[in-house]
Amino acid sequence: MGVCGSRPKVNEEDLSSKKKNNNNNNHRRRRRRILRRRVSSRKIEANNVSHSNSALQASNRASDAAWFDSTSALDSECDDEFYSVYDGHADEIGEDRKLSLDHCGILPNNCLPCLTSNAIAVEKRRPMSPDTPSSRRKSLSKLSFKWREGSSDMTLLSPKAFKQKHLAGSSVPFCPLEKQTPGSWSQIEPSSFRVRGKNYLRDKKKEFASSSAAFYPLGADLFLSSRKIDHIARFIQIPSINIPGDAPSILIVNIQIPLYPAAIFQSENDGEGMNVVLYFKLSEKYSKDLPDQFRESISKLINDEVERVKGFPLDTIAPFRERLKILGRVANLENLSLSTTEKKLMNAYNEKPVLSRPQHEFFLGENYLEIDLDVHRFSYIARKGFEGFIERLKLCNLDFGLTIQGNKAEDLPEHLLCAIRLNKLDYSNFNQFGF
């Protein structure tokens, strides 16, 4: 028998159905690829739209947040003093410290009973600046407290925060003025500052202040935080000091200093920074050493009274607190390595007073008055100048004081509310806020 050489008969209908199936499969694959491209392109477009909307909203917020000083009538006659809202030069204050208790808080070698201060409503906090380095963002994100969202009365949620409060003055130790130990505070004479003299309205001359101040320093703290901390006395164990008189026994000054870059069109005025907290005690000779007019001015400041200010064409009503004035100077300029330009700037602007309005807030407690000075809201030029100087704070001895500006003859000469020296504070050596 021979071998059959014929091929099996192929059904043409089967071949055509297979071709159709292959064509359909290829079509489906191409369709999926096209759909993927369309979906990805839509995602990209959506992202672009959301980014543009975010930018637009930020721009709107920036325009909405724009404000101006409506009380310019308080500007004094031909004065050389500065206003933080306009001017470019605001005075700055500026081994891991484990909240040392070797001097038991505010007073060296003294233990004081402490009071728990009451919390009040604060505004909703904003997020950390997008310019924050990732390493810094991680360290600052480990705070032991957070704010309750959607509530006008934001209270601390962490039980730990209620059980343990920071002992006032335990992070920055005291040292005598002549030693100038780095990372410490010292007491200075109020008379070391120059203020408006008795005849200032006529001769525009300043003279050294009297040797008496309304409050004297008790201690200082420095905290790092991922955002501003308003009314910081709520988280501090405040000494139980009660001195009879018309003024609170303790004055707390909370200086809020930004550590993120300044921006010209900055819609947010919050972000990582430090809080330099200064504590002062009412003078036991408050009624004896200070004139009645100055004590009356302090009462108006505490009670948030208003006054009539002469202006053209009409008089205006302004808060008395807008007279609060910051005095600051670098006491060791000769020890700093400054360029010729920097020396000229420092000589021109060192020890120039700055009215703190409108970047300040006041909080009145049971036995204390807290004043928050918000450098985050200073003008761009002031912020930029401070940004270039902040790394040199660890080399500076900074003198800080407060007074109430005298706009009338009866308010002169000016007297000091308080005064203190901060010796070479290096903020990188201090702990973040979170107890």
Side-chain angles (χ1 to χ4, degrees):
M1 294 179 61
V3 178
C4 179
S6 62
R7 295 180 180 178
K9 187 176 180 180
V10 179
N11 192 340
E12 294 181 358
E13 293 181 358
D14 292 340
L15 285 175
S16 63
S17 65
K18 287 181 181 179
K19 287 181 180 179
K20 287 180 180 178
N21 290 335
N22 289 335
N23 291 336
N24 290 336
N25 290 335
N26 292 333
H27 179 69
R28 289 192 191 98
R29 291 191 191 99
R30 285 196 298 273
R31 183 182 177 90
R32 286 194 195 102
R33 284 197 292 270
I34 293 171
L35 287 175
R36 284 195 197 102
R37 291 194 194 102
R38 288 178 180 174
V39 169
S40 62
S41 64
R42 284 172 184 168
K43 286 182 179 178
I44 293 171
E45 290 175 2
N47 288 336
N48 291 337
V49 170
S50 64
H51 287 314
S52 62
N53 287 339
S54 299
L56 181 59
Q57 290 172 1
S59 175
N60 290 336
R61 285 197 301 269
S63 62
D64 291 341
W67 49 270
F68 60 94
D69 187 0
S70 60
T71 56
S72 58
L74 274 180
D75 298 358
S76 52
E77 306 83 9
C78 303
D79 200 1
D80 58 349
E81 285 148 355
F82 290 86
Y83 304 88
S84 56
V85 60
Y86 296 125
D87 239 297
H89 297 273
D91 298 280
E92 311 87 5
I93 299 297
E95 327 140 24
D96 193 12
R97 299 189 180 278
K98 301 295 183 182
L99 303 181
S100 171
L101 300 179
D102 57 345
H103 61 280
C104 195
I106 272 184
L107 291 175
N109 304 318
N110 284 279
C111 293
L112 298 173
C114 297
L115 296 176
T116 301
S117 53
N118 296 325
I120 67 167
V122 294
E123 64 174 328
K124 187 175 179 181
R125 297 292 89 197
R126 302 183 180 93
M128 197 183 305
S129 168
D131 297 325
T132 305
S134 57
S135 60
R136 187 80 172 152
R137 185 183 293 270
K138 288 179 182 178
S139 66
L140 290 171
S141 65
K142 296 178 182 179
L143 300 177
S144 63
F145 68 92
K146 55 185 176 180
W147 300 99
R148 187 191 306 250
E149 302 294 339
S151 173
S152 60
D153 184 13
M154 295 181 183
T155 55
L156 291 177
L157 298 181
S158 171
K160 183 179 178 181
F162 288 103
K163 293 178 181 178
Q164 181 181 359
K165 289 192 174 186
H166 177 79
L167 184 62
S170 58
S171 64
V172 179
F174 164 83
C175 86
L177 185 62
E178 59 275 9
K179 288 189 177 180
Q180 300 182 5
T181 304
S184 66
W185 69 271
S186 302
Q187 184 169 327
I188 58 174
E189 290 296 325
S191 57
S192 64
F193 284 98
R194 298 179 68 89
V195 295
R196 294 182 176 187
K198 181 67 177 177
N199 301 317
Y200 180 82
L201 297 181
R202 292 201 305 267
D203 56 23
K204 301 300 178 185
K205 289 184 179 180
K206 294 189 176 182
E207 58 189 36
F208 289 107
S210 69
S211 58
S212 300
F215 296 86
Y216 287 89
L218 287 174
D221 281 314
L222 193 154
F223 307 117
L224 300 178
S225 62
S226 62
R227 56 197 175 190
K228 290 185 294 191
I229 306 172
D230 298 328
H231 194 189
I232 201 167
R234 294 171 297 157
F235 315 114
I236 304 294
Q237 290 183 343
I238 302 171
S240 179
I241 299 175
N242 290 292
I243 300 174
D246 300 331
S249 299
I250 295 176
L251 172 66
I252 301 173
V253 182
N254 176 25
I255 308 170
Q256 302 164 320
I257 301 175
L259 294 177
Y260 54 92
I264 298 178
F265 303 107
Q266 188 168 325
S267 59
E268 298 288 344
N269 296 308
D270 203 348
E272 66 170 324
M274 60 178 167
N275 291 258
V276 179
V277 189
L278 311 174
Y279 309 95
F280 301 89
K281 171 188 172 183
L282 184 67
S283 171
E284 294 181 357
K285 298 180 180 179
Y286 176 73
S287 300
K288 181 181 178 182
D289 291 350
L290 298 173
D292 294 342
Q293 183 65 31
F294 183 56
R295 286 189 281 114
E296 183 180 344
S297 295
I298 294 176
S299 296
K300 291 180 180 179
L301 188 82
I302 294 169
N303 298 324
D304 196 14
E305 297 185 19
V306 296
E307 62 177 343
R308 183 177 295 277
V309 180
K310 292 184 178 180
F312 180 83
L314 298 173
D315 294 349
T316 58
I317 300 297
F320 191 85
R321 287 176 173 177
E322 296 201 344
R323 286 209 209 175
L324 184 67
K325 190 161 59 176
I326 303 170
L327 305 174
R329 64 166 175 250
V330 179
N332 61 334
L333 276 179
E334 65 281 358
N335 298 331
L336 302 181
S337 299
L338 301 177
S339 65
T340 303
T341 303
E342 289 172 332
K343 286 181 180 178
K344 289 181 179 179
L345 287 173
M346 289 302 295
N347 289 329
Y349 298 110
N350 195 29
E351 207 170 346
K352 290 288 186 181
V354 178
L355 283 174
S356 63
R357 70 177 193 207
Q359 299 93 352
H360 58 206
E361 297 292 341
F362 294 75
F363 304 93
L364 189 60
E366 183 178 351
N367 70 327
Y368 68 87
L369 171 67
E370 178 179 331
I371 303 174
D372 288 1
L373 303 176
D374 190 356
V375 182
H376 292 254
R377 293 167 55 203
F378 275 23
S379 68
Y380 169 76
I381 298 176
R383 285 277 316 278
K384 199 65 181 176
F386 180 76
E387 184 181 317
F389 184 76
I390 195 168
E391 293 302 324
R392 294 188 179 179
L393 289 178
K394 58 188 176 185
L395 306 174
C396 297
N397 294 329
L398 294 169
D399 293 346
F400 173 86
L402 290 176
T403 186
I404 299 174
Q405 181 167 279
N407 291 333
K408 304 173 184 177
E410 57 266 27
D411 299 329
L412 300 174
E414 293 175 340
H415 290 75
L416 257 67
L417 278 171
C418 58
I420 191 173
R421 173 170 292 180
L422 302 173
N423 300 302
K424 302 178 176 67
L425 292 185
D426 185 354
Y427 67 87
S428 62
N429 291 336
F430 289 85
N431 293 327
Q432 65 183 11
F433 184 84
F435 310 119

